[in-house]
Amino acid sequence: MTKRTFTRNSLILAICTVTLVGSTGCSSLQRTWNGMSQTGQGASAGGAAGAAIGAGVGALIGGGKGTWIGALVGSALGAGTGAVVGNSMQRQKEALQSQLDELQAQQNATQSRLDDTQSQLDAIKVQMVKDRNDLDAIKMVLGDAVLFQTGKYNLSAQAQAALSRVAYNLEQFPDTDITVVGFTDNTGGEALNLKLSKERAESVVTYLEDHGVAADRLKAVGEGWNDPIASNSTPEGRAQNRRVEIFITASEQMIQNAK
């Protein structure tokens, strides 16, 4: 079972708990959820999250990676809030992906020797996740190869090109917050890796700030070798673990506007 499926099932359980729906009703809710669009799910998530918080069962909501990202809003969030935030995040994700695709096309057209760099840029992943309010958020994963030299935290030319597009996107959507999280493999000491991961996250934050993103929207976090996404027993796995993740979440202002 994936973390996203777990989150979805937890949400349906929360709805059943709050509304005292029986097992037959819950099965119906499950089928209804599976047939909904992403925006519809976002609206339902907002409404269910509000109900769960009001009933004191908010712990049932969430549970996936990244749910600790974003400002925690104390008041219950309704269906309308979830739909508005979901639509905004989807538009920003599509714009960000389009801008990164444009960068790849430009580099592919002007430099025939970029096969290796192109494959690294292709590895940039942009996806929708949930934040700590169970609202839609954007997660962008950049591999170590496109960002830094081994053991360094200076941004490569390829990284700067990609992050310039990210900065442009963030300026277009000012009502979002950005958390940059650095990760390493398990090579070397724990303290050294923790320091390096924080320095790499700060390098990304500094670059974004220098290119027009307001400092009060940005936060750098170093996780060191914690939370690997692959086995550290192979070179390929260690390469996947050396990464930076950028989380784009609804700011408190966006949430207030959506309400």
Side-chain angles (χ1 to χ4, degrees), residues 3-4 6-18 33 41-42 44-68 72 77 130-136:
K3 293 293 182 65
R4 187 175 183 87
F6 177 78
T7 301
R8 179 196 64 193
N9 291 339
S10 298
L11 174 59
I12 293 172
L13 176 59
I15 297 172
C16 295
T17 303
V18 172
W33 176 275
Q41 290 179 351
S44 298
I53 294 170
V57 292
L60 294 175
I61 305 300
K65 282 186 180 179
T67 55
W68 57 277
L72 182 61
L77 304 178
K130 293 292 184 181
D131 69 6
R132 65 194 304 173
N133 297 303
D134 205 47
L135 296 173
D136 284 333

Side-chain angles (χ1 to χ4, degrees), residues 33 36 166 252:
W33 176 275
M36 292 172 70
V166 175
E252 291 193 43

Side-chain angles (χ1 to χ4, degrees), residues 68-71 92 140 155 163 166-171 173-181 198 200-222 244-252:
W68 57 277
I69 298 291
Q92 184 171 1
M140 179 179 177
L155 291 167
L163 291 174
V166 175
Y168 174 73
N169 176 270
L170 295 175
E171 287 187 274
F173 296 86
D175 286 339
T176 53
D177 291 331
I178 305 97
T179 303
V180 181
V181 188
K198 180 67 177 295
R200 289 181 165 185
E202 289 173 343
S203 291
V204 173
V205 163
T206 298
Y207 188 88
L208 294 175
E209 185 178 347
D210 288 345
H211 287 75
V213 183
D216 59 1
R217 298 175 60 193
L218 295 161
K219 179 181 180 181
V221 177
V244 167
E245 297 180 353
I246 300 176
F247 291 88
I248 304 171
T249 58
S251 66
E252 291 193 43

Side-chain angles (χ1 to χ4, degrees), residues 80-144:
T81 302
V84 172
V85 171
N87 283 330
S88 180
M89 287 295 173
Q90 183 64 31
R91 284 188 288 109
Q92 184 171 1
K93 173 183 176 290
E94 290 171 357
L96 178 58
Q97 187 67 67
S98 176
Q99 288 150 4
L100 290 169
D101 289 344
E102 181 182 348
L103 170 64
Q104 293 176 13
Q106 288 177 354
Q107 291 191 336
N108 192 44
T110 57
Q111 300 183 51
S112 59
R113 60 183 176 80
L114 280 181
D115 290 344
D116 184 54
T117 301
Q118 184 67 38
S119 66
Q120 293 168 5
L121 288 172
D122 286 342
I124 297 176
K125 300 178 180 65
V126 182
Q127 63 190 99
M128 298 296 291
V129 295
K130 293 292 184 181
D131 69 6
R132 65 194 304 173
N133 297 303
D134 205 47
L135 296 173
D136 284 333
I138 300 168
K139 176 182 177 182
M140 179 179 177
V141 182
L142 299 98
D144 174 79

